[in-house]
Amino acid sequence: MSGASDASPLAAVFAADGPLARAVPGYRMREQQVALAQRIEAAIGAGRVLVAEAGTGTGKTFAYLVPALASGGKVLVSTGTKTLQDQLFGRDLPIIRQALGLPVAGALLKGRANYVCPHHLARNLEEGRLPSRESVHDLQLIAGFARRTQTGDRAELAEVPEDAEAWTRATSTRDNCLGQGCARLRECFVMRARREALAADVVVVNHHLFFADVVLRDEGMAELLPTCNTIILDEAHQLPDTATLFFGQSVTTGQALELARDTLAEGIAEAPDAPELRELVCAMDRGARDLRIAAGPRDGRRHAADLDRSAEFSAALARFATALERLAAALGSLAERGEGLANCAARARSLGERLQTWRAGERETLVRWVEAHSHSLALHATPLSIAPIFRRQLEEHRRAWIFTSATLAVDGDFSHFQRMLGLEDADTACWGSPFDYARQGLLYLPRALPEPNTEAHCDAVVEAALPVIRASGGRAFVLFTTLRAMRRAHARLGEALCDAGLDFPLLLQGQGTRSALLERFRRLGNAVLVGAASFWEGVDVRGEALSVVVIDKLPFAPPDDPVFAARLAALKRAGRNPFVELQLPAAALLLKQGAGRLIRDERDRGVLMICDPRLATRSYGARLLASLPPMRRTRELEEVRRFLAAAADAEPAGAPAAAVPGHAAAAG
């Protein structure tokens, strides 16, 4: 890419003596950031679609916020997680607004389940039918919070854990919200957030809310989207998976059980003279639970055809459908009694219609599959391709669409991402990271490891990683592509550390929330964290606490995943190469995400260790290596030890370098 023009007004904003430098302590001007901002400015001005990859540390947030705010139009920004959403709204947007002196009004909009619902909170307080004393205590805390908060955002109430059962009693969902018929509409925090979003110049959402609203037209976006001049989708590498979730249809036993609970409560309040309702609810509740049992003890995903052949499952499915149909009919006759029962009737009808779609059988454009957990079952019908559906969203209104992330291209090629979302006509641009990877990082490919599909591989990874972990003094992420391998490696690594007399704290994904584990990892300073999918992306550990990232093998999607397998089969039927077009680029992008955990700051130094011999023995290995940061490579353990020793000698005393807002991405 060509360098930024110093003569442009935008370049002056990012200049070493410009307004951002005056507003942000430790600010440094970066050519990649300015060039990205200029391309975004041009796309906004022309109402174009731009797909832009910019490496870690480029400062994507500032690069898109500055031209977006300066454009004067209404801007919608969607981020990958609620954490990033809060960071962007609470930190980055105010910095830009102050630095540029722009009177820009911003709004934060989350899904309704993030806001206290006065109706459901009051109803559950009155009924008092809670499962534990802890839930009673938590609900009282939420009630006090609801009286004093301006936003109703549950993220502001740290005293009640995020996963507390009380939150399900104090918030609403798309299904059980009473909408305009709610008697407490004037107190509704969701409606207040929507009104603020409609009036704002910049609205910050997350991808789940964006797609839920685009598809369902339920959370206020039906009014909001048409007024936007620019839509910016940060962490855009997550979009294909998120869109796949929302462009399909699902029926879950959880939805059925929640409907049963709400129907009982609304029946007591609005139709106490209809005792038959309880019997119908119990039948539907029992049908949902029996359906999960009939699916068998096995957890995980599988093709619907596996269960279509089961007489037990087919019989349980028919009983559940009949019970749901009878409940829907009864609720329909009682709907006029009150808004609560009317809402339950609409939910029962919708659930029945989705169930009928799933039972209708296979279609060329739809993948039917099942997802089982210990106490729940989900029946999914997912589009084979989301590209035509997403393309229609782009074509509805002429505006600028900006897609950006650190991982969108495979060795500079965007075609995989573009095909997934129907963006073949989009402009594309790519910038590398400003970090000096050749100096800061070392890529270690150990020799003589067994093939990754063998039983011996997991133990060999632990054996090969142990001397590296010893040399780094702990301070390592050890990442696996499967939970099974993660658990086995954790046990083996614990034994190996003990046998070697190494007293490094050993952490395991699942021993707490991801944020709590990361905080503990940073605080300990010499820990080893063993993780799987949750730690491959969206994790930011700067400074001395992390010096090694070990990846067990190339993250190819499991071929038995129902949706992925169906897409592979469709490509094969069309005479195309599914490995080259889908499997390889998907693995390359995820590998880039995992590798991106290592170097998060200009002062970070560390070793990326990939324990998959296919990088050296397969023809596609070169393409995967070319997609990784340009680190110096080695296959020699002694060189790894020397590098880590030199890095330890070079480490400054004290705390790790602080993040410079807008420069070091929090994820990706």
Side-chain angles (χ1 to χ4, degrees):
M1 299 299 303
S2 60
S5 168
D6 294 336
S8 74
L10 197 64
V13 173
F14 290 93
D17 58 351
L20 288 180
R22 292 191 291 272
V24 181
Y27 174 86
R28 286 177 296 280
M29 193 276 288
R30 304 186 180 186
E31 290 186 6
Q32 297 95 330
Q33 187 181 44
V34 181
L36 173 60
Q38 290 175 329
R39 284 296 297 269
I40 291 173
E41 180 185 48
I44 291 173
R48 292 281 297 167
V49 179
L50 173 65
V51 178
E53 178 179 283
T56 304
T58 300
K60 294 183 289 293
T61 305
F62 278 22
Y64 62 67
L65 280 180
V66 169
L69 267 61
S71 70
K74 192 177 184 78
V75 179
L76 179 76
V77 182
S78 182
T79 66
T81 65
K82 285 183 287 187
T83 301
L84 290 173
Q85 186 184 2
D86 288 333
Q87 175 184 301
L88 197 152
F89 179 77
R91 186 192 73 179
D92 298 335
L93 185 58
I95 288 173
I96 299 289
R97 187 165 48 200
Q98 180 181 354
L100 301 186
L102 294 173
V104 175
L108 185 67
L109 189 60
K110 298 180 180 180
R112 66 175 73 251
N114 292 277
Y115 300 96
V116 174
C117 171
H119 167 76
H120 288 286
L121 174 62
R123 192 192 76 184
N124 282 290
L125 284 170
E126 290 166 9
E127 290 179 1
R129 295 189 301 158
L130 295 165
S132 66
R133 290 183 179 180
E134 185 180 23
S135 292
V136 173
H137 175 69
D138 287 343
L139 204 64
Q140 292 292 346
L141 287 177
I142 295 170
F145 168 69
R147 287 191 291 271
R148 65 180 182 270
T149 180
Q150 293 298 307
T151 67
D153 186 345
R154 58 191 281 180
E156 298 174 6
L157 184 60
E159 293 89 338
V160 178
E162 186 178 343
D163 58 353
E165 199 276 341
W167 283 120
T168 66
R169 312 295 180 119
T171 57
S172 68
T173 65
R174 181 179 67 89
D175 288 333
N176 66 22
C177 174
L178 301 182
Q180 295 295 325
C182 182
R184 294 179 177 267
L185 191 63
R186 291 180 60 136
E187 308 166 47
C188 180
F189 292 110
V190 173
M191 293 303 296
R192 182 182 300 175
R194 286 182 182 179
R195 288 193 295 270
E196 291 177 358
L198 287 170
D201 302 299
V202 180
V203 182
V204 182
V205 301
N206 61 66
H207 295 338
H208 279 78
L209 176 61
F210 177 81
F211 281 109
D213 292 342
V214 163
V215 175
L216 302 170
R217 296 291 194 251
D218 175 65
E219 304 275 1
M221 301 280 269
E223 300 170 79
L224 183 60
L225 276 176
T227 66
C228 292
N229 305 93
T230 301
I231 294 178
I232 298 170
L233 296 148
D234 197 358
E235 298 306 308
H237 64 276
Q238 299 177 6
L239 295 177
D241 287 341
T242 308
T244 297
L245 287 175
F246 286 98
F247 288 157
Q249 290 189 352
S250 299
V251 175
T252 72
T253 55
Q255 292 167 342
L257 298 178
E258 186 180 72
L259 173 61
R261 187 188 74 190
D262 291 344
T263 299
L264 280 180
E266 300 297 352
I268 292 169
E270 298 175 352
D273 59 339
E276 72 280 2
L277 197 58
R278 174 177 288 274
E279 185 178 334
L280 291 169
V281 164
C282 289
M284 198 268 290
D285 181 292
R286 186 168 56 252
R289 297 180 191 277
D290 288 348
L291 187 65
R292 172 62 192 95
I293 294 170
R298 173 183 155 198
D299 285 358
R301 298 179 171 191
R302 59 188 128 160
H303 294 270
D306 293 348
L307 289 173
D308 288 342
R309 292 187 288 268
S310 165
E312 181 185 359
F313 183 81
S314 298
L317 184 61
R319 289 195 300 272
F320 173 58
T322 299
L324 179 58
E325 185 179 349
R326 288 174 178 168
L327 179 62
L331 284 169
S333 65
L334 295 170
E336 61 185 18
R337 298 284 193 97
E339 289 293 337
L341 284 174
N343 173 263
C344 289
R347 290 162 63 186
R349 283 196 307 273
S350 174
L351 202 61
E353 289 166 1
R354 299 200 303 275
L355 183 60
Q356 188 175 7
T357 297
W358 194 87
R359 296 181 75 197
E362 295 297 335
R363 285 183 245 163
E364 284 189 8
T365 59
L366 210 59
V367 184
R368 293 169 63 251
W369 56 288
V370 176
E371 187 170 22
H373 299 285
S374 55
H375 299 295
S376 64
L377 186 73
L379 311 178
H380 299 286
T382 301
L384 187 61
S385 172
I386 59 170
I389 308 171
F390 192 78
R391 190 184 299 115
R392 286 199 295 273
Q393 309 302 326
L394 271 67
E395 294 170 350
E396 277 189 4
H397 301 276
R398 179 173 173 79
R399 59 164 71 92
W401 291 77
I402 311 297
F403 300 82
T404 186
S405 169
T407 52
L408 294 177
V410 180
D411 193 18
D413 180 6
F414 289 89
S415 58
H416 170 69
F417 179 77
Q418 290 176 282
R419 280 195 304 268
M420 291 292 287
L421 293 180
L423 303 176
E424 287 86 352
D425 296 331
D427 298 331
T428 61
C430 190
W431 291 269
S433 169
F435 296 155
D436 185 358
Y437 282 108
R439 179 184 62 83
Q440 293 179 253
L442 182 69
L443 174 58
Y444 174 41
L445 306 176
R447 299 180 188 274
L449 287 175
E451 288 296 309
N453 59 348
T454 61
E455 281 293 324
H457 182 259
C458 183
D459 292 352
V461 169
V462 171
E463 185 179 348
L466 187 64
V468 179
I469 292 171
R470 183 199 292 269
S472 65
R475 308 189 302 168
F477 278 2
V478 188
L479 303 180
F480 291 84
T481 55
T482 68
L483 290 172
R484 180 173 174 270
M486 177 195 79
R487 295 186 186 107
R488 179 181 176 93
H490 175 258
R492 294 290 188 272
L493 190 56
E495 296 168 0
L497 289 173
C498 183
D499 292 344
L502 298 174
D503 190 23
F504 302 139
L506 186 60
L507 310 181
L508 176 67
Q509 176 181 319
Q511 290 177 335
T513 65
R514 186 172 77 161
S515 58
L517 275 176
L518 284 172
E519 177 55 36
R520 190 176 172 210
F521 181 87
R522 294 186 188 100
R523 186 176 69 252
L524 288 167
N526 68 336
V528 178
L529 191 152
V530 183
S534 293
F535 288 88
W536 279 71
E537 64 173 290
V539 173
D540 190 20
V541 179
R542 294 183 176 89
E544 300 175 27
L546 180 63
S547 293
V548 170
V549 171
V550 180
I551 291 175
D552 73 326
K553 60 183 177 181
L554 301 176
F556 287 110
D560 57 350
D561 178 273
V563 177
F564 198 77
R567 288 173 175 166
L568 293 175
L571 287 170
K572 192 171 183 179
R573 285 195 303 271
R576 293 155 67 180
N577 188 324
F579 180 78
V580 171
E581 290 195 35
L582 185 54
Q583 288 174 289
L584 186 61
L589 293 177
L590 187 50
L591 185 64
K592 284 174 71 174
Q593 280 290 330
R597 299 315 98 212
L598 183 63
I599 305 297
R600 310 298 298 174
D601 187 271
E602 288 90 341
R603 283 181 274 183
D604 284 352
R605 298 189 73 187
V607 172
L608 172 63
M609 176 178 176
I610 305 179
C611 302
D612 194 323
R614 291 175 295 183
L615 279 172
T617 61
R618 299 292 196 276
S619 59
Y620 56 77
R623 189 176 180 199
L624 292 171
L625 288 170
S627 294
L628 292 173
M631 300 178 183
R632 186 160 50 91
R633 298 176 196 165
T634 185
R635 308 206 70 182
E636 305 302 329
L637 178 59
E638 282 307 312
E639 188 171 355
V640 173
R641 289 183 172 130
R642 287 194 297 271
F643 179 90
L644 287 170
D649 291 341
E651 281 173 357
V660 178
H663 284 269

